[in-house]
Amino acid sequence: MMALYRTLSVFLALLGVAFAATAAFGTDRYPELAKKLPRARVAGTILGALVLAYCAYEGGQLLPGTRWGAFFYALVPIVTVLSYFFLDFLMARAFGGLLIVLANYVIQHAFAYHCGCRPLFAIAALCWGCLGIAFLAWPWWTRDFFAYCEKHSGPRLTCFGIAVILALPLIALPVTG
């Protein structure tokens, strides 16, 4: 389980850096990226279904000995299909959900496995989780942020620098504990 925790911690860091790199280096080369990526319906549906399935598993674990777990699993395909037809900005929402789930997992396991410098690690993971909450609650901000980065170079490099700084504790600290 410790290997999974370390792997997911690195994966969370790389996801954050990939988002920042897309904003920093992809928006000026591909201006249509700001409109298309947050609204990618098929990719968002697939990623969202995976996040929902994990959440159904966790919800079932919270209520052992009941029939709610099966109900949660039954809701995953229903919510996935309804989301495909009735929600906009699916990729931004699914990406936000993935950041939230990963941040929750790595913070919980950082304390279970005695990660080195846990407060710093938790703050870095919490920043990614809060960004995920923003993606989930206000997904159009993703589009607006990409559009802003397309026109202005200052926020692009600042965003990338902050992402790298937040990624370093998530990569280094789980293996130094």
Side-chain angles (χ1 to χ4, degrees), residues 1-90:
M1 289 303 276
M2 184 177 271
L4 179 63
Y5 152 67
R6 289 176 175 166
T7 304
L8 290 179
S9 179
V10 170
F11 184 62
L12 175 61
L14 293 178
L15 275 177
V17 171
F19 170 77
T22 302
F25 307 115
T27 54
D28 60 340
R29 292 186 188 138
Y30 306 104
E32 69 278 354
L33 193 66
K35 295 176 187 168
K36 291 183 179 181
L37 186 61
R39 289 185 165 169
R41 190 169 291 279
V42 175
T45 301
I46 293 169
L47 182 59
L50 294 173
V51 171
L52 282 172
Y54 176 76
C55 290
Y57 168 76
E58 287 293 325
Q61 295 296 315
L62 289 174
L63 301 168
T66 64
R67 295 184 183 161
W68 284 102
F71 178 69
F72 294 151
Y73 283 121
L75 282 176
V76 170
I78 295 169
V79 171
T80 301
V81 169
L82 289 174
S83 297
Y84 181 82
F85 289 111
F86 294 110
L87 280 180
D88 199 8
F89 296 103
L90 280 179

Side-chain angles (χ1 to χ4, degrees), residues 136-161:
L136 199 58
W138 305 287
W140 54 90
W141 282 7
T142 310
R143 176 200 59 201
D144 296 343
F145 179 71
F146 281 157
Y148 186 78
C149 285
E150 176 187 340
K151 296 178 179 83
H152 302 90
S153 63
R156 287 189 291 207
L157 300 178
T158 304
C159 172
F160 186 71

Side-chain angles (χ1 to χ4, degrees), residues 92-153:
R93 292 176 196 268
F95 185 70
L98 181 64
L99 287 178
I100 293 167
V101 165
L102 286 174
N104 179 40
Y105 183 87
V106 298
I107 289 172
Q108 176 185 0
H109 286 80
F111 287 89
Y113 293 124
H114 304 292
C115 173
C117 197
R118 282 179 288 205
L120 178 63
F121 181 86
I123 288 171
L126 186 64
C127 288
W128 291 119
C130 289
L131 184 66
I133 290 172
F135 286 162
L136 199 58
W138 305 287
W140 54 90
W141 282 7
T142 310
R143 176 200 59 201
D144 296 343
F145 179 71
F146 281 157
Y148 186 78
C149 285
E150 176 187 340
K151 296 178 179 83
H152 302 90
S153 63

